Amino acid sequence: MERSGTWFKFSGAPLCYLMIVSASLLVRAASVNSQYLIGIGSYDITGPAADVNMMGYAMSQQNAAGIHFRLRSRAFIIAEAATSSSETKRIAYVNLDACMGSQAVTLAVLSRLNQRYGDLYNERNVAISGIHTHSGPGGYLQYVIYIITALGFVRQSFDALVDGIETSIVQAHENLRPGSIYLNKDVLFDANINRSPSAYLNNPLAERNRYQYDVDKDMLLLKFVDGTGAAIGALNWFAVHGTSMNNSNLLISGDNKGAASRFMEDWFANGQKKSSLIREGRAADVKVSNSKSTGGSSNTKVSSERNRLRSSVTTTQSTPFVAAFAQTSSGDVSPNTLGAFCTDKGLPCDFNHSTCDGLNELCIARGPGYPDMFLSTKIIAERQFQKAVDLFENAQVKLSGRIDYRQTYLNITGVTVDLSSSATTSLPNMTTCPAALGFSFAAGTTDGPGAFDFKQGDNQGNLFWRLVGSALKPPTPQQISCQHPKPILLDAGEITVPSPWALLSRSRFFNLASLSYSAFQETEFTTMAGRRLREAITATLVERGYSTNIQVVISGLTNTYSQYVTTFEEYQVQRYEGASTLYGPYTLNAYIQEMKRLAVALAEGSSVDPGLTPPYLVDRLVGFLPGVIADSTPLGINFGDVKQDVPQNARYTAGDVVEAVFWSACPRNDLFTNATFSSVEQQSTNGNWIPVYDDDDWELRFLWSRPFFLSPQSFATIRWEIPTMAAPGVYRLRHFGAAKPLIGSSLSYFSGTSSTFTVS
C-alpha cells in the first residue's frame, strides 16, 4: 500500500496475526492416488464501480469510474481424507483480488461460516489473503486510517467482499473431492525490481552476498488435481507489488496478478493453448448486412447475467479451473521494471531520496510498457502467467502427510525481543513500540509518490509537519526514543478517536504435509526481512528433525493489515517501507521470535495461547459517501440510448479499437455481481446474437462518467480493443444498467446496443 498507513487497537494493545501451515514431501512421478479432499471456488467481488475511492494509493481523487476487468475471490480447501484412527483437519485459503485482507471482513466471513458449518472453518484454519491491487474499491476496513480517503466506511465494498468470499468458500466446500497436490518452483526474471535499493544496501554485505538478486525471483506453485488426475486448480506465490496500474487509473482492476489469474484460467478453458490468452470468437458470416443501433429498452438483470460468459462454479465435474496468483514478500518490490525517472527531465531520480530537484512528486517509476500502464500491467501479468504454466505442466513433486496449523493473536506493542544471538545489536533484549508512522510514509514510493515536501530517506522531519502530526497526538519522549531514528509524523498507536486507529493483528502457521510450510501474516515484508523470517522458520523445523528440503512461503496481507516490516538495517535508512514499519526497529525480530514459537509448537504437537480475539467495529463506523439520489436522461432520451455510435458500415481488423457511448445510470444502483455491464456480441449465421466478450475480459473496458459531480445524468463508454484471435464476422457493443427513480425504490433495468460493424 502506498501513502497510507493503518493501525488497529483493542484494549490499548495492538495485536498481530500469525499463522503457520505444514505438509510433507514425496518425489515421484504424478499419480492419481489421492490423499486429500480438495475443493475450489471462485466468485465475483468487484463491488461498486463508481464514486468509491480506490484502496492503495490513498489519493482522494482516485475514485472508481468503470471496470477494466472484474475482481474475484478464489478459494481452495484442502482436507485430510477421513480415517477411522484420528481426527482429520482441513485448511481454507482464499486469494482475493483486493488490496489486502480486512479484519472486519474476516470476522464477518467466519461468523457466516460458523452459522453454516459450526466450527469446521474458523480463525485457526482460514486464511484470506489480498493480491495487493491498488485499483479496487476501498472503504471496507474497520480502522480510521484506511478509510479516510474513502470518506469512511463503504457498505457496498464491504458486503461485496463478504458475500463473495463466503460464496467461494461454500463452493469449494461443496466441491470437495479426492485429489492430490503437486509442487514446483523456479525463478522468474524481468517481472520485478527493488524500489528501495538504498535501504537494501544497508543490510550487511555478507548477508547480501548470499543472494544473487535484491528481490526474490522464485515462484512456487501448487497444482491441484482430482482423483482422476484431471487438473482443477493452481495456486502460486511470487513477490511483486500490484502497482502496474498507477494512481491515475480509475477503472477497477486486479492489476498484474488479477490479470495473470484471468489469463491462466482462460488458457485452461481454451484447451490449454499457450499461444493465446483469450477465447476465440465464434465463426460468423461476414456478409450479414449491417444494422443501426437500437434505442435503449427495458430489460431485466437476467439478461445481463445471461451475457456473462464464464460459468459459475458448480458441484459437477465441469467445475471451472481456478488459478490464483498470491502475494508474498513484496514490501520493497515493484513491477515497474524500467526504474524511476524524473517526469520533467527524463533523468533517473535521486538514488537515496527518490526526488527530482528535491521534489518527490516528479519521481515516478516506469513499467515495461511505459508510458502505457495497461500494457505494462499486461506484460508483467503475462510473464507471471507463462512461468506459472511452465511450472504447472511440469509439476512432479507430490505432497503427502498430515495437515496441521497453529494460530495466535499477538500484542505486538511492547513485545520483549531477545537479541542476545542477533548481529543487529549487542543489547540482550529490546521491545517493540506503539504504532507510529514516519515522515517518509507521506512521501509515498516511486510506484505512487506523495505530495507536499515529504521525501523518502528522511530521518529528521521538520517542525511544521511535527506540529501538524502532534495536533492529533503528540508522541511521548519514550515513544520518540523507541521509534528512533524514525521521526514521528503520526503517533497513531495511541489514537482512539473517533474509533481505533491501530491494529489487532494475528499470526498463523499452516502445515500442509512436511514439505510445504506457509507463514500467514498481515504485513508487507521487504525482501530481506522475508528471507530472514523464512530462514528462521526453516532452521527451527530442521533442528527438530524436519528435512532440509522444506519450502517456507510467506503469504502476506492475510486476514487484516498492519503495514510494512523491514530489517533493522533498512529501518535506519527510513525510506517509505521503514517509515511504515509501525512498531519500531525491532518489529522484524518480534515477528521472527513469535513465528519460531508457533513453528516449535507445530513441530512438537503442542498447543499455543490463541490470544485476544479482535473487535468487530463495523457497527461503530460511519460513511460520508453520498448515496445515489436519482438517475435521469434529457427529455426524449431513454436509458441505454446511444449517445455516440460506432461509424456506420465500419470495418475493423485486429488491434483496432471500437467504442460507443450510451446514456447510462450509476453503477452503484446494482453492482451486477456475477453479471456484466457491457458485452461484445457476434451475429451468427442464423441471425442470432451471441455474447463473446464481457467486462471480465482484458480487451473490453467499461468506462463510466458524469458531466459533473453528483449529476443525475451519466454515460457509459464501451471500448473494445479487437484481439488477434477474434473471429471474422459482424459484431455489436451492448450496455446493461439499472436506473434509480427519484420517487420509489424499484430500479429500472435497461440495455442498449450500438450499430453493427464488421471485423475482418
Side-chain angles (χ1 to χ4, degrees), residues 12 30 35 56 70 112 136 158 161 238 253 275 278 316 322 362 424 483 485 521 528 652 683 687 719 742 755:
Q35 181 171 1
R70 287 189 170 263
R112 291 192 185 183
F158 178 82
L161 284 166
F238 178 75
S253 173
S275 61
I278 52 175
T316 69
V322 175
L362 301 178
T424 59
Q483 292 278 354
Q521 40 67 46
M528 193 63 84
Y652 298 95
Q683 193 172 35
R719 179 180 298 165
L742 181 61
S755 295

Side-chain angles (χ1 to χ4, degrees), residues 231-255:
I232 58 175
L235 168 62
N236 71 75
W237 289 267
F238 178 75
V240 64
H241 248 76
T243 50
S244 293
M245 303 292 288
N246 63 42
N247 58 22
S248 68
N249 171 54
L250 302 181
L251 301 183
I252 289 176
S253 173
D255 210 280

Side-chain angles (χ1 to χ4, degrees), residues 165 719 760:
I165 296 168
R719 179 180 298 165
S760 58

Side-chain angles (χ1 to χ4, degrees), residues 631-653:
D631 297 288
S632 69
T633 58
L635 187 64
I637 293 179
N638 296 321
F639 291 108
D641 281 357
V642 175
K643 184 176 185 292
Q644 179 181 319
D645 203 0
V646 175
Q648 291 294 309
N649 302 315
R651 299 184 69 89
Y652 298 95
T653 59

